[in-house]
Each structure stands twice: as C-alpha cells, then as structure tokens.
Amino acid sequence: MTPLHDLPHLGSGLGYRREIHQPTMEHRDRIDWLEVISEHYLFASVQGRERLAELSAAFPIVPHGIEMSIGTPGEVDEDYLDALAALVEEIDAPYFSDHLCFTRAGGVSLGSLTPLPRSRALAKELGRKAQRIQERVGVPFILENITYHVDLRTELTEAEFIAELCEHCECGLLLDLTNLHTNARNHGYDAAGFLDAIPTERVVQVHLAGGTEAHETLLDSHSSPVPEPVWALFDELLRRAPLKASLIERDQDFPDDFGELLGEVERARSAMRAAAPA
C-alpha cells in the first residue's frame, strides 16, 4: 500500500461531467487530471467503458464514489467492492474517494448524503471499516466531509469526529473546502478552527466549488464559480500542509465560456505551486 505522503502529485484537476466532455478533451493540456463518479463506471455499458478508456488515455483519473454508504451498519457490499477494485486497477488510479456519511438505511436508498451521529464509538467503528475497505481495494482510500442542513447535538463536533476516525485507520482525507465554508457559515463556527482540529497532514486532495444562497442559507449546489472565502480557505490550508491534488467541481449551470472553469483550474494550480517547498 502506497503511504499517503508517497502518492503522486496530481496537480489541479476538474470533475468530469459528460456535458463538458468535448471542451475537456480539447483543453487536456490545461487540466492535470480528472475525477470521475465511480458509480457511473462500476457496471458501465460498452459505451461507458469506451468513454472511460478515452479519458484514461488522456488524463490521470481518480474515482469518486457517492453510493458506498460507509456509515450504513454492516459491511459494504462485496460486489460493489469487487467492481470498485476492478475499476481502480483498470484506470491505474492512485487512490479512490467517497463520502463520510450514509446514503442507505434499512436497504432503502435515501437519495442524499446523510450526516452521521458523531460519537466516539462510531468514529472508531468507521475507522476500522475504512481500513478494511482500503486494504480490500488495494490503494489508499480518502474520505470527504459533507454538508448538512441540521446539526444535531452529538458527542463530537465534525472536526473531532474526523480526527478520532483517523486515529483508527491509515486512510486520507478529501477536504471539501466549499462544504467546510458552507457548514461554518450556516452553523456559526470558525472554519480555521476546524482546520486546527483535524489532522491536516492526512489531507490528500481538496474540492473547490461554488453554490447558491436561499433564505440566508448557503447551499452546496456546485453551480457557480468558487467564491473568494473558499479560495481564502484553500490558501490557509496550503500554509498548513502540502496537497497532492485540487479539484474544481461544477455539476450544473456550466458556463458558456469553458475558459471560466479553466481559469479556476489554473488559479488552484498557481496557488499550489506558490505554496510548494522551494
């Protein structure tokens, strides 16, 4: 198993979406790597596999899951893990990622990334579970923080929960800085304090995206440019720890000018280069 600090430096990437396939391929020289949604390719059609082959011939690729549901009690489905391991091997992915949440309960899909009851016991259980998944797939597993609209009173804060989980596994973190900014703003806590409380040396990758606001609440819609407070958090994180990868996410309301996304990719790349040790 490759240690986190020995993972390749991927640079500044873009979340792949079929709606922007053509400009993504046309501007491959300005995008360092791509993140694909794992579930789109685990049991893909012939057309899907051909698209994946085209992408992997042009870019390094990391699979990012949305349906593992690590927080659901019990073990993750073996067929899912078999398919995920095969996907990782097929595209020679350096690591894979998914969300620290649950998406299924009682065998029913919830249709959303649902926050966990943040207890010390659950952090320990999920840390051990994540370690087993990592060993099963064969490359490092990195876990992403999510947004939540209701912050239930729990034993641990989100940052404490993440730190406790990391005590029980060797997995890395995918720190979604937009999610951090959104939660900090909506629930009234200090985002820099969150960074103080987590093991930033475990952060392998970040997500950068823009959202919307409704009724004085920020929504993580991935539908607009990365806002300045998120860029400021990115700079703050880079002062604390080196990163292997950054990623611009856009899921809807794609700009007519693809140069807008390329500009964000370049801004992230420049920030990472400026923060790199001499």
Side-chain angles (χ1 to χ4, degrees):
M1 183 74 62
T2 304
L4 297 178
H5 59 79
D6 286 338
L7 286 171
H9 180 85
L10 294 181
S12 183
L14 181 66
Y16 173 75
R17 300 296 181 265
R18 278 179 284 184
E19 294 89 339
I20 53 173
H21 176 86
Q22 182 175 342
T24 297
M25 297 303 295
E26 289 174 352
H27 296 282
R28 67 188 72 181
D29 59 324
R30 298 180 61 186
I31 302 167
D32 297 332
W33 66 284
L34 297 180
E35 182 184 83
V36 300
I37 301 301
S38 303
E39 287 77 9
H40 291 175
Y41 300 99
L42 293 181
F43 306 101
S45 64
V46 172
Q47 183 181 18
R49 304 226 75 78
E50 290 175 348
R51 183 185 305 112
L52 182 64
E54 179 186 11
L55 295 174
S56 61
F59 301 94
I61 296 180
V62 171
H64 178 57
I66 57 176
E67 288 289 345
M68 180 184 289
S69 195
I70 191 172
T72 298
E75 298 302 321
V76 174
D77 181 75
E78 284 296 322
D79 289 340
Y80 179 95
L81 292 180
D82 284 343
L84 180 57
L87 174 63
V88 164
E89 182 176 10
E90 179 180 355
I91 61 178
D92 194 24
Y95 59 87
F96 66 101
S97 62
D98 209 300
H99 300 82
L100 187 54
C101 70
F102 67 100
T103 60
R104 291 189 308 280
V108 177
S109 175
L110 302 176
S112 65
L113 307 175
T114 306
L116 298 161
R118 298 187 297 257
S119 69
R120 204 170 299 278
L122 183 59
K124 181 177 181 179
E125 177 186 341
L126 293 188
R128 292 178 174 176
K129 188 174 182 179
Q131 185 68 26
R132 290 195 297 272
I133 292 168
Q134 176 171 270
E135 292 169 357
R136 174 72 177 74
V137 176
V139 297
F141 181 19
I142 66 173
L143 286 159
E144 180 182 3
N145 57 306
I146 67 166
T147 57
Y148 43 87
H149 298 300
V150 177
D151 190 12
L152 301 176
R153 184 171 297 178
T154 54
E155 179 184 354
L156 302 174
T157 66
E158 182 186 10
E160 290 169 341
F161 185 76
I162 290 171
E164 180 68 22
L165 181 147
C166 287
E167 290 293 321
H168 301 284
C169 67
E170 298 173 351
C171 301
L173 297 174
L174 193 177
L175 186 58
D176 190 311
L177 292 172
T178 301
N179 289 352
L180 172 55
H181 169 64
T182 299
N183 289 337
R185 161 78 181 278
N186 289 345
H187 302 295
Y189 67 78
D190 178 42
F194 182 101
L195 295 180
D196 290 336
I198 66 169
T200 52
E201 70 277 4
R202 294 283 194 101
V203 179
V204 172
Q205 179 196 323
V206 297
H207 276 171
L208 304 164
T212 55
E213 184 168 355
H215 307 293
E216 299 184 347
T217 299
L218 291 183
L219 303 175
D220 178 36
S221 59
H222 296 180
S223 60
S224 62
V226 179
E228 288 304 317
V230 173
W231 286 116
L233 276 176
F234 185 44
D235 290 337
E236 176 61 29
L237 178 63
L238 288 171
R239 284 191 285 270
R240 296 167 182 249
L243 294 176
K244 298 295 185 180
S246 64
L247 188 98
I248 301 298
E249 287 190 296
R250 185 72 72 92
D251 291 341
Q252 55 187 318
D253 296 343
F254 297 100
D256 293 332
D257 180 6
F258 192 69
E260 178 183 309
L261 295 180
L262 293 176
E264 292 186 317
V265 171
E266 178 55 38
R267 181 171 176 176
R269 181 187 295 115
S270 296
M272 292 176 72
R273 285 177 175 170

